[in-house]
DNA sequence: CGCGGCCATCTAACGTTGTTAGGATGACTG
DNA sequence: CAGTCATCCTAACAACGTTAGATGGCCGCG
């Protein structure tokens, strides 16, 4: 049945075009401009067509959130290749904040509360995984024993999120926020190092 | 002219009632339920009356943000009386996160991006001032020299905001978020202590 | 006391939002 | 060639923020 596969391919294609258009509108004109009718216009369809591909607007936005995290991980991949673990940690901290500044509206929907918390957490899983890996190799490299690994991981995660939010638009300015992220992680790591039983 | 003063008093009174009603709706039913018509219903007026007291919805929400910060400072005042600076620092960190968990919707509008960044920063000024005071007395008490005081202050501020956002609803659970806030500030302070030239 | 004006308030409406229902159009199947 | 099915659009609904115009009652002045 070649026709049904072609139909499915077309369906998937317009679905992808919808996501792409939504992303474009979001990044260019902000979250308030992200409306079903504008998305439909951008893909040259009428509004109800969108509902053939997504249950509702939240489902579509959730897709943008997932896309945003994939994009962020992709932009971080280069920084992740820095061999020195300390430099890598700081670099990834500042680069994740830079991402927030370069994609402010996308970062907004990625971290804001309108979308379901559980789904958001799932979408952020790769980033959290990256942080876990950073923390383990860092603590191994410096013979640091973390009293509670998960706790330390959540602290870094929360800290970077908070500082990225500061630097998302203009609260402190993005390059300063990047510097804050570097300093904050450096200080956190220094603190854990000082706490480690080896140094006690 | 007693009548005009009475009128002014009545105006101020209904204005206050509007804010109170809006706050009640926001805290009970969330930000999506915070609509002009529902607020007007709650004060037994029609919707346009709200616009005699506030230029638009954003102005009203901004008032809620200011009120939220005053409320937060009030709830933190008791914790601020803890005499020991280290205990006070950790206590205020966890209490600010607890506030976010006990007033999740209010905290949402206080920290989310829909309202103007500059106005939000101004509303948060007392909290930032509190953090500055904490940092100065802490560094004085421990003879710690901070390389960049403003930077350290922003780092604490961003860290607590981020962790509070984690604990706002259910991402990690609020009491765990409080613990994270304590540990995070403790670790940050430990890190700055280790960095201080006195210890170098 | 009565009358004119002003202030507060309401009803009605506009434009836009997310979302759904019903019908038309056209392509594939037998 | 006829029928079925997916696809798409027009139209509409409820609710939103917001504004215009009408209505009413209270105040101060003659």
């Amino acid at each position: 049945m070649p026709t049904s596969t072609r139909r499915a391919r077309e369906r998937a294609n317009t679905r992808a075009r919808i996501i792409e258009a939504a992303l474009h509108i979001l990044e260019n004109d902000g979250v308030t401009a992200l409306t079903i009718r504008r998305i439909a216009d951008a893909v040259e369809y009428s509004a109800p067509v969108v509902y053939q591909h997504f249950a509702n607007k939240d489902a579509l936005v959730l897709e943008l959130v997932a896309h945003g995290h994939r994009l962020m991980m992709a932009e971080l991949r280069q920084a992740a290749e820095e061999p020195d673990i300390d430099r890598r940690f700081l670099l990834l901290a500042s680069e994740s904040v830079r991402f927030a500044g370069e994609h402010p509206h996308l970062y907004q929907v990625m971290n804001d509360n309108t979308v379901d918390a559980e789904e958001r957490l799932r979408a952020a899983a790769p980033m959290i995984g990256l942080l876990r890996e950073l923390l383990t190799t860092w603590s191994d490299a410096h013979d640091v024993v973390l009293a509670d690994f998960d706790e330390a991981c959540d602290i870094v995660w929360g800290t970077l999120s908070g500082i990225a939010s500061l630097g998302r638009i203009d609260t402190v300015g993005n390059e300063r926020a990047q510097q804050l992220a570097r300093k904050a992680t450096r200080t956190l790591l220094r603190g854990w190092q000082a706490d480690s039983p080896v140094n006690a």
Side-chain angles (χ1 to χ4, degrees), chain A:
Chain A
M1 66 280 305
T3 146
S4 70
T5 72
R6 191 208 58 195
R7 288 247 238 241
R9 193 173 55 233
E10 286 175 356
R11 261 190 71 84
N13 185 261
T14 66
R15 187 189 143 98
R17 280 181 56 219
I18 289 175
I19 293 180
E20 189 181 2
L23 194 64
H24 189 258
I25 292 172
L26 174 63
E27 296 235 44
N28 283 346
D29 300 339
V31 69
T32 67
L34 189 68
T35 165
I36 299 286
R37 284 176 176 84
R38 276 199 63 173
I39 297 169
D41 277 3
V43 292
E44 292 177 307
Y45 277 117
S46 74
V49 173
V50 175
Y51 291 88
Q52 286 180 344
H53 299 273
F54 304 94
N56 47 33
K57 192 186 177 183
D58 283 356
L60 171 52
V61 170
L62 209 68
E63 214 76 18
L64 297 186
V65 170
H67 184 96
H69 274 101
R70 281 194 296 270
L71 185 62
M72 184 173 176
M73 292 304 289
E75 292 197 11
L76 256 48
R77 203 157 299 269
Q78 186 185 353
E81 288 173 2
E82 159 68 46
D84 181 83
I85 176 60
D86 294 84
R87 303 238 300 255
R88 183 162 80 239
F89 215 139
L90 300 190
L91 187 60
L92 282 167
S94 65
E95 286 296 291
S96 68
V97 171
R98 192 172 64 83
F99 178 87
E102 286 190 351
H103 308 272
H105 302 117
L106 180 57
Y107 191 85
Q108 175 177 357
V109 302
M110 283 165 64
N111 281 46
D112 269 18
N113 30 315
T114 65
V115 294
D116 183 49
E118 188 182 349
E119 300 276 9
R120 236 178 38 223
L121 195 60
R122 181 182 317 163
M127 182 64 187
I128 295 179
L130 174 57
L131 289 181
R132 294 180 71 89
E133 179 228 304
L134 284 175
L135 257 185
T136 52
T137 71
W138 174 84
S139 58
D140 284 358
H142 294 295
D143 285 324
V144 168
V145 178
L146 292 170
D148 189 328
F149 179 80
D150 289 344
E151 208 170 61
C153 187
D154 282 349
I155 285 173
V156 174
W157 164 241
T159 298
L160 289 182
S161 300
I163 292 179
S165 287
L166 290 190
R168 195 179 58 84
I169 293 241
D170 254 344
T171 323
V172 303
N174 187 262
E175 72 247 22
R176 173 163 162 81
Q178 291 179 40
Q179 184 71 3
L180 289 179
R182 295 179 67 88
K183 294 289 188 67
T185 64
R186 205 180 66 90
T187 310
L188 280 174
L189 297 180
R190 185 72 57 113
W192 279 315
Q193 210 162 11
D195 254 2
S196 188
V198 179
N199 283 26

